[in-house]
Amino acid sequence: MFKNIFKSKSKEESFWEWFLKNEPALYYGTDDELERERIFDGLSDKIKSIDDNLVYAFSPVKEGEVKEFVISADGLKESFPQVIKLIDAAPTHPNWNFLAFRQPNTGDDLILSMGDLEIGYNDIYYRYAEQESNLHLELNIRDFDQSEFQQNAIYILLDSLIGEYDVAMEIDSIDWVILDKNNITKFYPFVELRKLIKSRKEKK
């Protein structure tokens, strides 16, 4: 019996092979609208074929600088191992920095605009409770309308504040509350959540 000497490529290897083949267009862009659509449709198809929860983002960059390519599980913890596996298989390339999960932003005054919604760090306050290894947050949100759309925007702000990985791994549950402006001194400003998460991780 002959042994199979041909090793099939993994999903991750196939993805990065496709990425490198199309790397110039992904890095420099293309003026051809149809070609641009083909490239990005292909990228979406390739990453979804690995795990349907995976999404991606590019950083803006000037020509000649390193561009970031972020692969995210869109906050879904069950797909975190696949994000890590895909990034672990990433090639080394002088034009690119490949990152797992949405990274935290260092600023303290981020404002997010989504359609008619504008919300920022300064619109959110919190309280918390610690139970063993779990952290429960109560988010108090200015003009909160209790919609899923607004919650999704706040998750983006959470990812920007502490990073997608820590949002999923350090926060066990969230209560969503309309901010009582008369009791604002009873709450912590949203940006102080960074210090709380850092302190908890250092104690582990």
Side-chain angles (χ1 to χ4, degrees), residues 142-179:
R142 196 187 315 276
D143 300 324
F144 183 51
D145 63 10
Q146 304 184 49
S147 68
E148 184 177 345
F149 180 76
Q150 197 168 15
Q151 285 186 8
N152 288 338
I154 294 165
Y155 271 119
I156 293 173
L157 291 175
L158 274 167
D159 286 349
S160 297
L161 186 70
I162 62 174
E164 177 187 357
Y165 186 85
D166 282 348
V167 171
M169 303 304 291
E170 299 294 328
I171 299 173
D172 185 62
S173 58
I174 298 175
D175 284 340
W176 308 82
V177 180
I178 300 171
L179 177 64

Side-chain angles (χ1 to χ4, degrees), residues 38-180:
R38 182 191 71 80
I39 291 293
F40 284 98
D41 283 350
L43 178 56
S44 295
D45 289 344
K46 285 289 183 181
I47 204 164
K48 291 295 185 183
S49 70
I50 295 174
D51 186 317
D52 198 50
N53 291 331
L54 301 191
V55 293
Y56 66 87
F58 294 100
S59 65
V61 68
K62 295 179 180 179
E63 186 174 328
E65 296 180 355
V66 174
K67 192 170 187 175
E68 291 182 348
F69 179 59
V70 178
I71 297 176
S72 162
D74 212 17
L76 299 171
K77 196 184 298 186
E78 63 267 27
S79 293
F80 277 26
Q82 183 58 72
V83 171
I84 294 169
K85 187 175 181 181
L86 188 53
I87 289 296
D88 282 347
T92 300
H93 196 287
N95 287 348
W96 295 91
N97 185 17
F98 302 113
L99 298 172
F101 309 111
R102 297 182 185 120
Q103 301 297 299
N105 186 303
T106 57
D108 288 343
D109 56 358
L110 182 66
I111 297 175
L112 181 66
S113 295
M114 294 174 59
D116 295 331
L117 174 65
E118 187 172 279
I119 187 170
Y121 289 171
N122 292 334
D123 295 310
I124 307 170
Y125 294 78
Y126 76 93
R127 293 191 291 193
Y128 69 95
E130 293 180 294
Q131 295 178 344
E132 297 180 357
S133 62
N134 297 329
L135 178 65
H136 173 76
L137 286 186
E138 178 191 274
L139 295 181
N140 295 263
I141 304 136
R142 196 187 315 276
D143 300 324
F144 183 51
D145 63 10
Q146 304 184 49
S147 68
E148 184 177 345
F149 180 76
Q150 197 168 15
Q151 285 186 8
N152 288 338
I154 294 165
Y155 271 119
I156 293 173
L157 291 175
L158 274 167
D159 286 349
S160 297
L161 186 70
I162 62 174
E164 177 187 357
Y165 186 85
D166 282 348
V167 171
M169 303 304 291
E170 299 294 328
I171 299 173
D172 185 62
S173 58
I174 298 175
D175 284 340
W176 308 82
V177 180
I178 300 171
L179 177 64
D180 181 354

